[in-house]
Amino acid sequence: MITARSLCQDENLGLLLVAGAQAADRPIEWPHAIELADPTPYLAGGELVMTTGINIGADAAAQRDYVARLAAAGTAALAVDTGTTLAEVPAGVLAAGDEHGVPILRVPASTPFIAIARVVIDAVRADQLRSVQRVVDQQEVLARATLRGGIPGVVGELADCLSAVVVAVAADGRELAAGGSTDAELISSLSETARRARDRGGLVTPHGDGWLTVQRMRAAQAVRGHLVVRTSEPLSDADRLLVAHAVSLISIALEKPARVQDAEQRLRSALTRQLLAGRETVDEGLLRYFGFVPDGDVVVVVLQHMGPVLAAEEAVGRRLADAGPYLMTTADREIVIVVPADGSAGRVRTLIGSQRGPSGGVSRAVPIAEVATGVEQARIAAESTAGQFTEFADLGPLAALLDSRAPGELRLLASVLDPLRDADEDLVATLAAFLRHNGQAEAAAAELQVHRHTLRNRMRRIGQLLGDDLTSADSRTQLWLAVRASQLLRSRRGPADHSGR
């Protein structure tokens, strides 16, 4: 950006700032040499006006009027030659420059206007090139965000690039993503603006102390939704280009054919199974395609009690489509989801946890090579509570005690339950529910969907088989440890194996 002050710092020009210093940092958009008494009809604002002084006025009053007209037209600065008509800049021009905030530059006789013009034009072109390069760089950032984070990734990066609040809303009124603010009321207001836009686009309107830009998102002929951008100032040309690029990326994502989505999910499922089988079999290119860093950390989410698995997988996939990178597969009656450990797990938990019915577990962050360990942790967390989400890290010291134990150690801990398995496998599940609800029979019976008298009869039988006092804190601790060890053994063998031995 070139200004009156920076022009004066060019020693080759020899310009001197003699008035209007308070506005000397205003950007100059173009040089214009003009000798009319009223040049304002030929000015667009932001110009450096250059004059030899022929028609600036014969007295101080006329000179002040001349500068006042330039100020009203948005002139960036006035350069007055002192080697042709004038020997010095007139006092009326100096006074008016200070009064109206128009920088006045004294041009020595040795400096032609063409030299000043070249410096200004070169600086303006350099600014334009930098602006174009910035847009190109930011377009690449948005493209990478699309691969890594889907629509939320694009919206978030656009908000960062523009220092704006950005909301994307689908044609059916669904809020696809929001970025740049955590103010729920503001985001809701912008979403409502998008919903009211209907098929309109290219709308720019004031919004409080800022500005709203609303763009249609469309592919082919159909309008797929609207993107709303709130900024403190109207968008520049470069910013509008960036918004248009983001709109295109989001529109393409919304238009993706169902058969492509189906093929991608099949590929996701295969890749997830490869991760579960072992890191050395995984194609790093596929990991990057789905937005994962081959050496990065991930979090595993296990969903249970989702009903028919194929229908549940389709429903979950629709909800995850706009939540950022994810991998997903089914395993018996479970859905296994793998997401990057950079906050994606929270978005998945919010999306899935808002549904009624399923319970789930969330692992600690693990290297992508150790997805199988993450699945173990997530299963233990899922089975620790019924009908809700639990994080493995929230299980406390018990999780730390069991984590990374060898199979032999786990079998030893779980062997306490062998008498129950030999008698009736349902007794283990009954004991687990009883302990999980801190000995509250009513709550345990409700979870197991049995009558409370049935539960009490089972608990009496469990006490007899184990020869243990189930009211003792020590006994409950040992039995809870055995239940958890049994669950971990089962998770390592897969959910279809319920032996625990």
Side-chain angles (χ1 to χ4, degrees):
M1 180 180 71
I2 191 163
T3 66
R5 196 182 306 279
S6 60
L7 270 176
C8 292
Q9 294 168 353
D10 189 326
E11 296 180 357
N12 295 322
L13 297 178
L15 304 181
L16 184 64
L17 179 64
V18 292
Q22 71 269 32
D25 295 315
R26 184 183 302 155
I28 295 172
E29 297 183 9
W30 199 251
H32 191 21
I34 188 167
E35 300 293 356
L36 297 176
D38 182 10
T40 56
Y42 305 95
L43 301 177
E47 292 89 357
L48 168 65
V49 172
M50 298 180 288
T51 179
T52 62
I54 297 173
N55 289 310
I56 64 173
D59 55 39
Q63 292 160 4
R64 282 195 291 270
D65 289 343
Y66 175 84
V67 175
R69 288 192 293 271
L70 295 182
T75 300
L78 172 64
V80 182
D81 175 61
T82 56
T84 304
T85 304
L86 304 171
E88 292 295 336
V89 179
V93 172
L94 296 176
D98 287 329
E99 179 183 352
H100 296 287
V102 177
I104 308 298
L105 304 181
R106 179 184 181 277
V107 183
S110 60
T111 302
F113 286 165
I114 188 64
I116 301 173
R118 282 175 175 168
V119 171
V120 173
I121 291 171
D122 287 346
V124 169
R125 285 177 174 170
D127 284 343
Q128 290 173 340
L129 286 174
R130 282 192 291 270
S131 179
V132 170
Q133 186 60 53
R134 179 177 65 87
V135 170
V136 171
D137 292 342
Q138 290 175 335
Q139 285 177 336
E140 292 179 359
V141 169
L142 293 182
R144 288 194 297 269
T146 306
L147 294 176
R148 294 177 181 173
I151 293 175
V154 177
V155 168
E157 286 292 351
L158 182 64
D160 289 344
C161 289
L162 300 180
S163 298
V165 181
V166 182
V167 176
V169 175
D172 61 5
R174 288 179 299 122
E175 184 181 296
L176 299 173
S181 175
T182 57
D183 186 336
E185 185 175 344
L186 174 60
I187 292 172
S188 176
S189 171
L190 299 187
S191 297
E192 185 58 31
T193 298
R195 295 184 187 100
R196 291 198 305 267
R198 298 184 181 274
D199 61 348
R200 291 184 299 166
L203 176 66
V204 179
T205 182
H207 185 265
D209 58 352
W211 291 82
L212 289 188
T213 300
V214 183
Q215 289 287 337
R216 283 180 301 189
M217 299 185 297
R218 64 189 307 166
Q221 297 299 318
V223 174
R224 301 300 183 188
H226 288 81
L227 187 73
V228 181
V229 180
R230 188 187 188 279
T231 51
S232 57
E233 300 291 338
L235 294 176
S236 66
D237 290 342
D239 292 340
R240 285 195 290 270
L241 281 174
L242 200 61
V243 171
H245 186 64
V247 165
S248 297
L249 291 172
I250 297 172
S251 298
I252 291 171
L254 291 172
E255 186 67 12
K256 188 179 293 183
R259 59 181 177 274
V260 174
Q261 294 177 349
D262 181 63
E264 281 191 349
Q265 179 48 37
R266 290 173 185 246
L267 195 57
R268 275 195 183 92
S269 182
L271 183 58
T272 310
R273 291 180 182 277
Q274 285 183 338
L275 285 171
L276 292 172
R279 174 69 177 83
E280 67 278 359
T281 65
V282 177
D283 185 328
E284 291 188 359
L286 282 178
L287 284 173
R288 289 192 175 91
Y289 174 81
F290 285 113
F292 288 79
V293 178
D295 296 323
D297 288 345
V298 296
V299 169
V300 180
V301 179
V302 168
L303 303 179
Q304 299 177 337
H305 312 300
M306 296 287 291
V309 174
L310 292 179
E313 182 183 25
E314 182 179 353
V316 171
R318 285 196 301 269
R319 297 180 70 87
L320 292 178
D322 299 325
Y326 74 97
L327 297 172
M328 180 172 65
T329 191
T330 58
D332 194 18
R333 291 167 293 174
E334 297 176 335
I335 295 177
V336 176
I337 303 167
V338 181
V339 295
D342 59 357
S344 298
R347 293 199 297 271
V348 170
R349 184 171 179 172
T350 299
L351 285 168
I352 306 302
S354 62
Q355 301 182 107
R356 286 188 169 185
S359 62
V362 183
S363 76
R364 289 194 180 105
V366 297
I368 202 167
E370 300 177 17
V371 164
T373 299
V375 172
E376 292 177 4
Q377 295 177 359
R379 281 181 181 147
I380 292 175
E383 292 173 354
S384 68
T385 54
Q388 57 185 298
F389 274 82
T390 304
E391 295 194 19
F392 185 77
D394 291 341
L395 299 183
L398 193 57
L401 181 65
L402 292 175
D403 198 16
S404 302
R405 291 291 178 185
E409 295 174 299
L410 294 175
R411 280 194 291 271
L412 178 61
L413 292 171
S415 64
V416 175
L417 304 178
D418 287 350
L420 303 185
R421 294 193 190 90
D422 293 338
D424 186 346
E425 185 67 30
D426 286 344
L427 294 180
V428 176
T430 299
L431 176 62
F434 180 78
L435 295 173
R436 186 159 49 242
H437 290 285
N438 299 313
Q440 296 178 12
E442 293 283 352
E447 178 188 327
L448 296 169
Q449 296 182 335
V450 299
H451 196 277
R452 63 181 181 278
H453 295 317
T454 302
L455 182 104
R456 291 193 179 98
N457 289 334
R458 288 183 184 179
M459 294 308 302
R460 277 195 294 271
R461 189 179 179 199
I462 289 171
Q464 293 168 356
L465 289 170
L466 296 179
D468 222 336
D469 179 9
L470 297 181
T471 64
S472 164
D474 288 341
S475 294
R476 287 188 182 183
T477 300
Q478 182 183 14
L479 292 173
W480 189 231
L481 187 62
V483 168
R484 286 298 182 80
S486 179
Q487 290 172 344
L488 183 53
L489 276 171
R490 186 178 64 186
S491 71
R492 290 182 179 179
R493 294 171 178 171
D497 183 350
H498 299 281
S499 67
R501 288 184 180 174

